Amino acid sequence: MRLRQILLTLTSSASLISALALPPPSNDAKSRTWLEARRRKQSHSGMPKYFHEPGGSELGNHYDSRFYSGIDTYENKRDTQLHMLRAYFTFFSEASMETWLAHGTLLGWWWNGKMLPWDWDIDTQVSGSTLAYMGEHHNGTIYNYTATDDPDLKRSYLLDVNPASIERERGNGNNIIDARWIDIRNGLYIDITGLSETHPDDRPGVWSCKNYHRYHTTDLYPMRESLYEGVVAKVPYAYDRILTQEYHEKALVLTDYEGHRWNPDVKEWIKKTDEEIAKEKEEKEAKQKAEKEEKERIEAEKKEQKEEGKEEEETKDEGKKDKRSLPEEKRYVELEKETSGLAHLRRKRDMF
């Protein structure tokens, strides 16, 4: 027994000495890339969710739990988002980092260079390299903002980069948002997602985020500069193609949506009054009721016509049966009463 223990110890020691005697791993670029990818996969593919929202309702999902104190009013939400956007683009410009509008925020820019008033989501994108730079140099930054049109309006925002942002694949789906720009007064935020060439060998020039949005390099670059909510912002080069692929052409022409109506004279989405919404609802219900009643009437008529046709067929069949059952003499009397030669031939055929 003791001999066995000694042999096991020697074997383990020999293995340890062999391991220590191995040359260090290669430090070439290929090896570093492989080791880094392996480390990322092992460390982050199963990470728990980093950003949390209070939930409880659809609107509750648009706040960061750490700073949440309640749902804002429609008017306060608009004010919060306006200055949050202006502070965001100002900070990125000062830090010489490129960012651009995405998703519903880009759609709002397409209509009138402003946010869609019913949209509680604000979405921006950055390149994978910018995301990495943000995480290394600006993560945890508290940016103090003063409104250019109101020196007394001062607010602070947190740039929080998700630790799982270095993983560029979706993983377990808990961390598809790579970073947030958060208003620390109430928890409303801007979602920031990175775009990377995740498969440059198989799909070169295809950029994707963790939520399966994909773009070609020519869709994104060269970026266009424009104005958004009174501040300089960038939009993708092929913004029209990106929007139609994500929302279809209907989103670019529909002028009545989410309790708002597009006013082409002032180029604004105008919120409908409660009376207008109630009236439209009543008219819609009345229209649906009338359409239902019309459909039921048509179906009833078809059913009635079908039943009448069936009764006529049965009557004809009964008549033929009765005529064929008459004594032969009476049947000839019936034939004599016919004045039509064609009818006479038909009757004669039926007799035989």
Side-chain angles (χ1 to χ4, degrees):
M1 185 72 174
R2 183 173 177 77
L3 179 60
R4 182 182 178 187
Q5 291 176 344
I6 293 172
L7 290 172
L8 287 172
T9 303
L10 289 173
T11 304
S12 300
S13 300
S15 299
L16 177 60
I17 292 169
S18 298
L20 292 173
L22 287 173
S26 172
N27 196 35
D28 59 34
K30 185 176 181 180
S31 298
R32 289 198 305 273
T33 301
W34 181 85
L35 289 170
E36 181 66 16
R38 182 183 178 92
R39 182 186 68 78
R40 290 178 181 179
K41 184 175 181 180
Q42 291 175 340
S43 302
H44 300 285
S45 61
M47 281 190 69
K49 182 176 169 64
Y50 179 71
F51 293 119
H52 292 274
E53 304 77 33
S57 67
E58 174 60 27
L59 296 183
N61 292 327
H62 300 291
Y63 291 83
D64 189 287
S65 295
R66 294 167 292 180
F67 308 100
Y68 176 71
S69 58
I71 302 294
D72 259 342
T73 63
Y74 178 88
E75 291 74 21
N76 286 343
K77 185 266 296 186
R78 161 69 184 169
D79 177 75
T80 296
Q81 289 182 327
L82 173 65
H83 293 287
M84 183 163 56
L85 275 164
R86 290 179 176 177
Y88 173 85
F89 283 108
T90 301
F91 169 76
F92 269 73
S93 176
E94 292 173 354
S96 300
M97 295 189 297
E98 186 177 59
T99 184
W100 58 90
L101 306 176
H103 309 310
T105 309
L106 180 62
L107 182 60
W109 167 84
W110 186 90
W111 278 96
N112 62 352
K114 296 182 179 181
M115 293 174 290
L116 297 171
W118 61 83
D119 194 359
W120 289 70
D121 278 328
I122 300 180
D123 294 291
T124 62
Q125 292 173 333
V126 296
S127 68
S129 58
T130 297
L131 182 62
Y133 182 85
M134 281 168 47
E136 185 175 353
H137 298 281
H138 296 289
N139 188 25
T141 295
I142 299 292
Y143 182 72
N144 296 311
Y145 161 85
T146 300
T148 55
D149 54 353
D150 184 0
D152 294 329
L153 195 156
K154 301 179 184 296
R155 291 177 186 174
S156 298
Y157 302 93
L158 167 66
L159 176 61
D160 193 4
V161 181
N162 189 333
S165 62
I166 62 173
E167 171 56 50
R168 300 316 305 141
E169 298 284 357
R170 184 180 177 88
N172 58 17
N174 284 332
N175 295 287
I176 60 175
I177 302 302
D178 292 311
R180 277 181 177 168
W181 180 260
I182 308 167
D183 187 328
I184 61 178
R185 298 175 310 127
N186 53 24
L188 279 170
Y189 56 79
I190 296 174
D191 274 335
I192 308 170
T193 52
L195 298 184
S196 304
E197 285 186 284
T198 52
H199 299 86
D201 295 331
D202 300 330
R203 289 177 292 187
V206 176
W207 301 72
S208 62
C209 67
K210 296 179 187 176
N211 206 26
Y212 304 128
H213 294 287
R214 295 184 176 89
Y215 312 87
H216 290 280
T217 302
T218 52
D219 291 333
L220 300 171
Y221 297 100
M223 289 283 170
R224 301 173 186 263
E225 278 197 350
S226 183
L227 283 177
Y228 186 71
E229 292 290 2
V231 67
V232 175
K234 290 185 177 181
V235 298
Y237 180 77
Y239 58 84
D240 49 351
R241 180 163 55 192
I242 290 173
L243 287 172
T244 52
Q245 285 178 347
E246 186 170 355
Y247 298 107
H248 307 293
E249 292 182 0
K250 186 177 181 180
L252 306 182
V253 296
L254 192 65
T255 56
D256 195 309
Y257 194 72
E258 289 291 332
H260 293 74
R261 183 179 292 110
W262 175 252
N263 186 324
D265 296 328
V266 296
K267 292 182 171 55
E268 293 279 356
W269 287 97
I270 307 301
K271 187 178 181 181
K272 300 176 185 176
T273 63
D274 293 339
E275 291 76 15
E276 287 178 315
I277 294 174
K279 183 180 179 181
E280 287 181 357
K281 182 180 179 181
E282 184 180 340
E283 290 174 350
K284 183 178 179 181
E285 290 175 350
K287 182 180 178 181
Q288 290 175 340
K289 182 179 179 181
E291 290 175 348
K292 182 180 179 182
E293 291 176 349
E294 179 65 14
K295 184 178 179 181
E296 290 174 348
R297 184 189 66 78
I298 292 173
E299 289 177 351
E301 285 182 357
K302 289 181 178 178
K303 184 178 180 181
E304 185 178 350
Q305 291 172 359
K306 187 176 180 180
E307 290 176 351
E308 288 177 354
K310 186 176 179 181
E311 289 177 0
E312 289 178 3
E313 289 294 327
E314 290 176 352
T315 302
K316 289 179 181 179
D317 291 342
E318 287 294 327
K320 289 180 180 180
K321 185 177 179 181
D322 293 343
K323 293 291 178 69
R324 287 174 180 172
S325 63
L326 288 172
E328 191 172 336
E329 304 82 31
K330 290 186 177 181
R331 291 173 69 189
Y332 276 112
V333 172
E334 290 276 335
L335 289 174
E336 289 176 356
K337 292 180 180 179
E338 296 283 356
T339 58
S340 168
L342 183 60
H344 175 73
L345 291 174
R346 184 168 61 250
R347 293 293 185 182
K348 187 173 183 180
R349 180 198 63 196
D350 292 341
M351 183 178 68
F352 298 103

